[in-house]
Amino acid sequence: MKILIIGSGGREHAIGWKINQNPKVEKLYFSPGNAGTLALGENLPSMSIEQLAEFAKEKAIDLTVVGPEAELSMGIVDLFQANGLKIFGPNKKAAMLEASKAFSKDFMTQYGIKTAQYQNFTNLDLALEYLETQSFPLVVKASGLAAGKGVVICQNKTEAIEAVRTMLSGDAFGKAGEEIVIEEFLEGFEASILSIFNGKEITPFVSAKDHKKIENGEKGLNTGGMGVIAPNPLFTKEHQLMFEKEINQPTLKGLLAEGLIFSGVIFYGLMITSKGVYLLEYNMRMGDPETQTLLPLMESDFLELILDAIDQKPLEIKWKDQSACCVVMVSGGYPKDFEKGFEISGLENLEIPYFVAGAQMEQNKMINTGGRVLNLVSCQPTLQAAREKVYQEISKVKYNKAYFRTDIGEI
């Protein structure tokens, strides 16, 4: 099989790494890929979705897997399917569950999916008027795609007014902030559950715990993710049953009722509170860096799961009886202006999988080019052993101004 993977980060490197374990794979293409994906296949230039469809036809690509949300929201799946090409991901209408928080919150309400109380706004005066009636803290979200950064937790009315004004003015997130969601603040801990939808049923992965803040102790600025552990040790069997009954099953009912039929991933962002399990948001693709953590933990063949999902066959996902710990190495200054252009060394000495997030090859040297640079992942019989191994290995990797959190997986 010839397979095309779209995206440039650690997630796409991990997807390629896992898929490449299947002997059916003849050739992997990445658009645009990175320094890590070069070891697995051929990197292509960045292309429009129309150019990608032309490439897939020209090269007789057997399967395309889409990493990022942007191409999904543009309708790449609809375009490929119209051209008779096999592709894994939601169509444009289903991708709206991530691309529009207003659309997804309305979907949750309509199908009785447990979520925080909310209101959608496009009008500044109405939004400010609504704030007068609310208690704090509360959450203000840009409805559109904002690279995981369009959420502000406001501790008081002053902060909320500023967030609302900044988003609706278009200064912060442009078009993504033309509509906003104001919702109640939920107290608790978060869990991430990825799943595969085959058009008939949703099969969840094991739970994961993401670490979003830049500093130890979950402090400082929000990032795209500084590390993940799986399974999430705080997410119990009781929580799993609540999730299944109050979120997963009603989501399936809603998808089928609305004709949102596709083969792809649904990522549930959950908040577990004293009142139960709530759905914060849907992502309609593999999470990052959750993917880099979960795929090494997966015993099943990922390519076969994808092909079975496309054929609407029943899915059974097997997992290793282990825990995984993923630590993200970033460039100095991230998530603000960061320093790049430094050579990365020591990767050849690693005894665990690593995935490149933001680095390119220049004159046979790997150079950091992004904010998040590398993901190192260890799977061990216990979480403590996985943590110890990943931090032991991370000391072997060197580049100027490297930074990582030292408390990933501390519970």
Side-chain angles (χ1 to χ4, degrees):
M1 291 183 73
K2 289 184 278 190
I3 297 169
L4 171 61
I5 297 170
I6 296 168
S8 64
R11 165 181 54 207
E12 289 75 29
H13 186 184
I15 290 169
W17 171 84
K18 185 68 174 172
I19 282 176
N20 201 43
Q21 292 167 14
N22 186 306
K24 286 182 186 171
V25 175
E26 177 193 334
K27 174 130 192 198
L28 289 178
Y29 294 95
F30 297 86
S31 176
N34 60 39
T37 60
L38 272 175
L40 298 171
E42 182 180 334
N43 286 356
L44 308 168
S46 287
M47 294 188 241
S48 68
I49 62 173
E50 291 79 13
Q51 289 170 323
L52 287 163
E54 281 304 313
F55 175 84
K57 281 197 292 186
E58 184 189 313
K59 292 287 186 182
I61 297 293
D62 298 293
L63 171 68
T64 299
V65 181
V66 189
E69 59 272 31
E71 284 83 353
L72 294 169
S73 68
M74 289 174 199
I76 189 170
V77 171
D78 310 66
L79 179 63
F80 270 58
Q81 288 175 341
N83 281 278
L85 296 162
K86 195 175 280 195
I87 187 166
F88 184 66
N91 55 36
K92 189 172 184 176
K93 192 177 175 191
M96 282 284 285
L97 286 167
E98 176 171 6
S100 169
K101 289 189 171 62
F103 176 85
S104 69
K105 290 293 284 192
D106 291 347
F107 175 88
M108 293 173 208
T109 303
Q110 186 175 347
Y111 291 99
I113 295 155
K114 196 163 179 174
T115 190
Q117 293 181 340
Y118 74 101
Q119 289 282 346
N120 303 330
F121 295 95
T122 54
N123 180 285
L124 177 60
D125 292 336
L126 292 177
L128 295 176
E129 204 175 289
Y130 180 73
L131 290 179
E132 296 294 333
T133 66
Q134 298 304 295
S135 54
F136 295 86
L138 58 68
V139 184
V140 180
K141 299 178 175 178
S143 179
L145 295 174
K149 298 181 177 72
V151 178
V152 181
I153 297 168
C154 306
Q155 300 297 334
N156 53 52
K157 191 160 74 176
T158 306
E159 289 181 9
I161 289 169
E162 185 188 349
V164 166
R165 283 187 187 280
T166 306
M167 285 190 196
L168 285 176
S169 69
D171 288 351
F173 303 108
K175 283 192 174 299
E178 285 177 356
E179 184 169 18
I180 63 168
V181 178
I182 300 176
E183 69 177 31
E184 75 173 304
F185 175 77
L186 298 173
E187 191 80 58
F189 69 89
E190 291 188 41
S192 306
I193 296 190
L194 277 74
S195 65
I196 297 179
F197 182 39
N198 68 354
K200 292 180 177 178
E201 54 196 2
I202 302 170
T203 307
F205 288 19
V206 295
S207 63
K209 175 181 168 59
D210 190 13
H211 300 65
K212 277 271 185 244
K213 302 282 189 181
I214 188 68
E215 294 170 17
N216 283 357
E218 209 55 20
K219 292 176 182 164
L221 295 171
N222 256 341
T223 72
M226 293 299 293
V228 171
I229 54 171
N232 185 335
L234 302 174
F235 193 76
T236 64
K237 283 183 182 170
E238 186 184 8
H239 295 140
Q240 183 74 35
L241 291 170
M242 288 182 199
F243 158 73
E244 194 58 47
K245 183 182 173 188
E246 297 174 320
I247 295 170
N248 196 41
Q249 286 307 319
T251 295
L252 176 61
K253 184 182 170 187
L255 291 172
L256 298 177
E258 296 290 328
L260 299 175
I261 308 301
F262 63 91
S263 56
V265 170
I266 303 173
F267 173 132
Y268 297 98
L270 306 177
M271 179 67 80
I272 293 81
T273 76
S274 56
K275 296 178 188 171
V277 178
Y278 288 77
L279 179 61
L280 294 175
E281 64 179 5
Y282 295 109
N283 290 336
M284 302 307 290
R285 36 81 195 177
M286 302 286 283
D288 184 346
E290 287 87 353
T291 302
Q292 296 91 299
T293 316
L294 289 160
L295 289 184
L297 203 57
M298 181 186 283
E299 206 164 81
S300 298
D301 186 305
F302 190 44
L303 177 57
E304 297 299 339
L305 286 173
I306 290 171
L307 295 173
D308 285 348
I310 290 171
D311 292 339
Q312 295 198 328
K313 292 179 181 173
L315 304 182
E316 185 191 354
I317 307 176
K318 292 193 170 71
W319 299 93
K320 296 172 185 171
D321 186 19
Q322 293 182 328
S323 287
C325 181
C326 168
V327 177
V328 179
M329 299 185 75
V330 304
S331 297
Y334 175 80
K336 290 187 172 179
D337 292 337
F338 53 83
E339 299 190 51
K340 58 187 182 181
F342 302 120
E343 184 180 354
I344 301 164
S345 63
L347 293 174
E348 68 281 0
N349 301 320
L350 293 178
E351 297 171 8
I352 57 173
Y354 70 87
F355 303 111
V356 175
Q360 296 294 342
M361 295 304 291
E362 294 177 16
Q363 295 168 338
N364 290 328
K365 293 177 180 176
M366 193 183 291
I367 306 294
N368 74 315
T369 54
R372 289 187 294 169
V373 180
L374 294 165
N375 315 128
L376 276 67
V377 189
S378 174
C379 297
Q380 300 292 334
T382 66
L383 175 58
Q384 185 56 33
R387 287 193 73 243
E388 285 174 9
K389 183 64 174 174
V390 79
Y391 280 115
Q392 178 188 325
E393 292 294 303
I394 212 166
S395 64
K396 298 175 181 176
V397 183
K398 307 290 181 197
Y399 59 92
N400 204 7
K401 312 280 186 179
Y403 172 78
F404 55 89
R405 275 179 55 171
T406 57
D407 66 341
I408 302 301
E410 279 184 7
I411 301 298

